[in-house]
Amino acid sequence: MIAIEERFPRPSVMGVVNVTPDSFSDGGVHLDPAVAIAAARRMHADGAALVDIGGESTRPGSDGVTVDEELRRVVPVLEGLAGEVPVSIDTAKAEVARRALALGAEVVNDVTALRADPALAEVVAGAGAYLCLMHMQGEPRTMQQEPRYDDVASEVTAFLEERLAFAVAQGIPEERICLDPGIGFGKTPEHNFELVRRLDVLLALGRPVVIGFSRKSSLGRAVGDPDAKTGPLSASIAAAVSAYERGASILRVHDVREHVEALAVARALAGT
Ligand code: HH2
């Protein structure tokens, strides 16, 4: 079995392709399957180790979509990419994951960390897929209303430790699992920055860490717009490089080429 840290060595860039009308970062841009396929191919050519395909927005305030609608969005894209580009499927639904894995996806990226669909763990285990478990406080519709923690790094880590044990108990080997503190999912900008600053707390669990700071509103706020809904590329790169230097393995980003270049320099500076 190839461990996830060997399959996607540090640093690996995960390109984001949201096949949705309403994602906060690229909503509507990739709704046409041909456009989404071309974007994913370009990201791979630009150095993405894998491309994360999602058919449901989880932006603050969003409602879910049905299984049929999610399948309608992602299946043509997965069919178009089959075998050509390494793919992760951003879904919390067992049926969507099952179809995606049958069409060649390697990773299931579940922002609910196996809490939403009781059938998902078995699908991942049965397919021998990789899995990303992400932390979220609350649910997308309400998560940004009043996020609260006593100690955000310890609480997020305790949650992910419990979800990791759950996944392993469901038959998913630990070597196939990576963890994500869920930047922006029920967190203030201060919480998000503290999670990266204190990444060592999460890394102590011994699993590769994914960070998705790209374009998120905390970055726009940090550069001076208190009402920002997104963040600029420059700030996204700073956050990704900083997360990498603190030990993150996989950086989930929208602007692949710029992040691949920045991380190549950060890696050379680190001497690895
Ligand atoms: N962020 C988003 C979606 N999925 N998955 C992981 N593992 N980590 C993240 O930080 C993460 C994620 C939200 O960003 P985006 O996909 O750009 O927007 P939307 O949820 O509106 O589609």
Side-chain angles (χ1 to χ4, degrees), residues 109-135:
N109 174 25
D110 178 11
V111 299
T112 76
L114 301 180
R115 291 178 298 162
D117 188 336
L120 183 54
E122 200 183 315
V123 169
V124 175
Y130 296 111
L131 174 66
C132 179
L133 296 170
M134 197 197 79
H135 174 273

Side-chain angles (χ1 to χ4, degrees), residues 18 23-25 57-59 90 109 180 185 212 216 252 254:
N18 290 310
S23 289
F24 84 96
S25 53
S57 174
T58 48
R59 76 183 191 289
D90 189 346
N109 174 25
D180 184 333
F185 286 84
K216 285 186 179 163
R252 183 181 184 277
H254 303 81

Side-chain angles (χ1 to χ4, degrees), residues 188-242:
T188 63
E190 293 69 31
H191 293 141
N192 292 325
F193 292 122
E194 183 171 346
L195 281 166
V196 174
R197 188 165 57 247
R198 297 178 59 210
L199 206 59
D200 57 318
V201 179
L202 178 54
L203 285 164
L205 296 182
R207 300 311 309 143
V209 167
V210 179
I211 294 288
F213 228 133
S214 177
R215 295 190 187 172
K216 285 186 179 163
S217 61
S218 294
L219 301 172
R221 293 178 195 192
V223 301
D225 175 0
D227 302 317
K229 294 277 181 281
T230 63
L233 172 58
S234 51
S236 302
I237 293 171
V241 167
S242 197

